[in-house]
Amino acid sequence: MDVNEGKRKTPLGRRVTVKEVAAELGISPSTVSNAYNRPDQLSADLRERVFETAHKLGYTGPDPFGRGLRQRRANVVGVLFRDRLSYAFADPAAVLFLEGVSEAVEEAGLGLLLLPGGSLGGRDTEAIRAAAVDGVLIHSMAADDPLVSAAIERRLPAVVVDQPPIGTVPSVGIDDEGAARVAAEHLLELGHRRLGVVSFRLALETRSGMVEPQRRGAATLRPSGARLRGVAKAVSAAGISWDDVPVYECAVSSPAEGKTAAEALLSRDPRPTAILALSDQMAFGVLEAATQIGLSVPDDLSVVGFDDVPEAARSAPPLTTLHQPHVEKGLQAGRKLVAQLREEDPDGQEELFLLTRLVVRGSTAQAPS
Amino acid sequence: MDVNEGKRKTPLGRRVTVKEVAAELGISPSTVSNAYNRPDQLSADLRERVFETAHKLGYTGPDPFGRGLRQRRANVVGVLFRDRLSYAFADPAAVLFLEGVSEAVEEAGLGLLLLPGGSLGGRDTEAIRAAAVDGVLIHSMAADDPLVSAAIERRLPAVVVDQPPIGTVPSVGIDDEGAARVAAEHLLELGHRRLGVVSFRLALETRSGMVEPQRRGAATLRPSGARLRGVAKAVSAAGISWDDVPVYECAVSSPAEGKTAAEALLSRDPRPTAILALSDQMAFGVLEAATQIGLSVPDDLSVVGFDDVPEAARSAPPLTTLHQPHVEKGLQAGRKLVAQLREEDPDGQEELFLLTRLVVRGSTAQAPS
DNA sequence: GATTTAGTCTGTAACGTTACAGTAAGTTAT
DNA sequence: ATAACTTACTGTAACGTTACAGACTAAATC
């Protein structure tokens, strides 16, 4: 149960503290502390002697816990993920986001603490309550997630990503609706009239399968909900009934799920001539399904992805996809959080939108006549 | 400079503590603490009342710093990376490793703190010294890296990955030499006699370019050094002089660098008929270079990768590569560390080797005659 | 009726650090 | 010669928590 059953002693017995180093040198503990934290407060000579005796006694620098308690600061920012961490690492888009975040925290000299959203079902708020962090980045969580409330309650500086601002908590994201609309319009302009959509999760709870029209509007996860709205607007504008466009919801954004989704969509009659996937990962699964069924992409089937992960340029065929600046998103979110930590005056309320663009590659073509 | 210039007050003024909650209810602070940490130590009724008043006063649970100081435990494990964190996230192999680590820490209910190895040049040991962690995973660092010494000096439970055990610190890795030998033998068995090798970094300092024979043995980074040894043994056994096999060292393991490397190798006369890349990322760059030069893979050029990242199965052509259980590696390393945290009796000295295997796909074929 | 056991709750003393206010001596300016 | 700085160091009081040893009651056992 508990992580520490055994005895809790350092090999050498007791832990060495500033006090002991100070005693050994006949100076004040403050001076030892200053040797590590404010070199300008003592002579270079004494500082050197402090380090020497510290090393001799086995003191390895200020204890993080004592320092944290005193300074009320951890020099760490937390990132809160919707699902288990291992899911985040399996999602290239999330990884690119983290790449950007890590750039921001590194330039500020902070550490990066990853916090799991708990096993998919049970939302365990313990980790977020007990985390020693100065601020937190909330990544793509449902608006009604108890984890978000737990984070907000701690009144830590925070930034939310891919979701509307909450109270005074600023946000960073893209225009999901507009972007998806552009992607759909690309297919419509190529003459496709029978589309299929592969979406990822629409709400907190997990499910896979076809999405009935009445459920489409009720998404609590902003990205998928807004994107479906964008597609709906595009097809309606083209004179196609949105209710007639089949939408498949995947529980996780993976090639395997995307393949399952494509199999379901492509077995319908009439068969779609184009599939729009709301993530590249799922689009790769769509490509695989098409190949397996014997459909040629883009001749028999056009496929559009969303994200433009690096692999999209290398797939067979190269994927037409909606580019989203994932790294930049992480960088901006991280910087926004760091700014809050520094200035303590939240520029609040602010919502930052990053630009997207359609990248046309080899997976889309004119609709077959 | 400092992260906190401004005033450090909670919106509501002072921070609420267990003491205040206790005072409000006329009970002992210990009891309030117990309400959160040891529910069996008080009546369900009182516990409920504690939570109520806590909420009323704005107390959001035990402060992580105070708790950490008292318990001498953070419930967090750190992962130490060789380079900047953003580099780690850009490397799929490192990400898969993290996926495994996160699985291990989640099953133990711990957080995951990522620690940068500092900007490539300057090794900043500050982050590792000041990190509030219970243990640390040291990922693929050079044996002589000052960061490793800093970590070891703190006498934290630790596990090193892809590198020999240090003192009593156990390790997890693969048989790099044997694995690389298998990969090379595959090419030799296909009749290739003119090989080229694309390696990643051999030592702590960063450089790119051809590797002269005398430098090949002096690698301080275990994976690349051992793998080159494996290739050397394979080619020597086939009657080829290792000194005649061109080796190109890339500063980072990326497609772009791999492409540059391949361009250098393929412009040599006589041109290699097979290239062995020590990572899939670099192999993808080799494929790209070949296509651009007008060489067909595998007809004109065979390419072998190393890692078997998921994308290897989807590239054009699908990549023959040496499979390495990255996720498993992270999982085992994480579990080993957690075991140390729990039992405090390091099973020490232990070195765990995971199994690898060659996965033959479409990027290798018989040597052209 | 005496003794044990179990269930609740309490008081205090660390945990290791650094912010802050201050002292004492030396240096420079007026 | 006095005042005003500067440099180098000191002492103490928190920071917020929980481990630990016990105390008090009520119920169970002999």
Side-chain angles (χ1 to χ4, degrees), chain A residues 15 18 30 33 37-38 59 63 70:
Chain A
R15 158 168 285 272
V18 271
S30 292
S33 172
N37 303 303
R38 319 166 84 113
Y59 180 75
D63 177 89
R70 182 67 245 231

Side-chain angles (χ1 to χ4, degrees), chain A residues 1-12 15 55 58 60 62-69 71-76 83-86 89-90 95 98-99 102-103 105-106 108 110-114 116 126 129-134 153-155 255 281 284 288 311 314-316 341-344, chain B residues 1-12 15 55 58 60 62-69 71-76 83-86 89-90 95 98-99 102-103 105-106 108 110-114 116 126 129-134 153-155 255 281 284 288 311 314-316 341-344:
Chain A
M1 199 107 294
D2 189 9
V3 164
N4 290 286
E5 311 275 314
K7 54 262 145 153
R8 247 270 137 236
K9 274 184 202 137
T10 327
L12 306 185
R15 158 168 285 272
H55 185 77
T60 55
D63 177 89
F65 301 106
R67 181 208 285 249
L69 179 57
Q71 300 193 144
R72 311 260 65 225
R73 189 189 339 147
N75 289 325
V76 168
D83 303 319
R84 299 180 47 199
L85 281 180
S86 38
F89 285 118
V95 170
L98 281 174
E99 187 181 330
S102 66
E103 228 171 292
V105 304
E106 272 178 352
L110 307 173
L112 187 57
L113 180 62
L114 304 181
E126 189 48 29
R129 284 187 190 287
V133 296
D134 302 323
E153 261 167 28
R154 272 190 68 184
R155 278 182 243 100
Q281 284 294 97
F284 295 140
E288 205 181 325
E311 186 185 343
R314 296 192 290 263
S315 63
L341 297 183
R342 275 195 226 277
E343 298 156 28
E344 186 76 36
Chain B
M1 200 103 292
D2 189 10
V3 165
N4 291 286
E5 309 276 313
K7 54 262 146 162
R8 250 262 140 243
K9 275 187 201 135
T10 327
L12 306 185
R15 156 169 287 271
H55 185 75
T60 54
D63 177 88
F65 301 106
R67 182 208 286 249
L69 178 58
Q71 300 193 144
R72 311 258 66 228
R73 189 189 337 144
N75 289 324
V76 168
D83 303 319
R84 298 181 49 198
L85 282 181
S86 38
F89 285 117
V95 170
L98 281 174
E99 187 180 332
S102 66
E103 227 171 294
V105 304
E106 272 177 352
L110 307 173
L112 189 57
L113 180 62
L114 303 181
E126 189 48 32
R129 285 187 191 286
V133 296
D134 302 323
E153 260 167 29
R154 272 189 67 184
R155 278 182 242 99
Q281 283 295 95
F284 295 140
E288 205 181 325
E311 185 184 343
R314 295 192 290 264
S315 64
L341 297 183
R342 275 194 226 279
E343 299 154 29
E344 185 77 36

Side-chain angles (χ1 to χ4, degrees), chain A residues 128-140:
Chain A
I128 161 75
R129 284 187 190 287
V133 296
D134 302 323
V136 62
L137 243 39
I138 300 174
H139 182 257
S140 176

Side-chain angles (χ1 to χ4, degrees), chain A residues 19-55:
Chain A
K19 274 189 181 144
E20 291 165 53
V21 177
E24 177 81 10
L25 279 165
I27 60 176
S28 156
S30 292
T31 304
V32 176
S33 172
N34 284 335
Y36 286 92
N37 303 303
R38 319 166 84 113
D40 57 313
Q41 293 293 303
L42 37 59
S43 61
D45 171 60
L46 179 54
R47 188 161 118 103
E48 203 39 60
R49 267 160 47 224
V50 168
F51 290 155
E52 259 169 41
T53 50
H55 185 77

Side-chain angles (χ1 to χ4, degrees), chain A residues 164-284:
Chain A
I166 306 174
T168 71
V169 177
S171 85
V172 175
I174 60 167
D175 173 11
D176 284 288
E177 181 178 321
R181 180 166 187 166
V182 168
E185 281 167 354
H186 169 62
L187 291 172
L188 294 164
E189 279 161 17
L190 288 170
H192 295 276
R193 306 291 294 171
R194 297 198 307 276
L195 306 185
V197 177
V198 180
S199 173
F200 47 79
R201 214 153 4 128
L202 293 171
L204 187 50
E205 88 277 16
T206 309
R207 58 184 298 285
S208 304
M210 298 300 304
V211 185
E212 296 316 312
Q214 63 273 19
R215 198 177 126 82
R216 294 178 190 177
T220 56
L221 277 174
R222 148 119 135 208
S224 42
R227 289 181 202 175
L228 288 187
R229 252 195 323 280
V231 177
K233 286 196 180 161
V235 298
S236 304
I240 300 173
S241 161
W242 171 231
D243 289 357
D244 293 344
V245 176
V247 176
Y248 190 100
E249 175 179 3
C250 295
V252 299
S253 170
S254 69
E257 289 265 325
K259 191 180 171 200
T260 308
E263 284 161 359
L265 293 173
L266 293 174
S267 66
R268 292 169 70 95
D269 189 22
R271 194 168 66 205
T273 63
I275 289 185
L276 171 54
L278 296 192
S279 81
D280 286 350
Q281 284 294 97
M282 298 185 302
F284 295 140

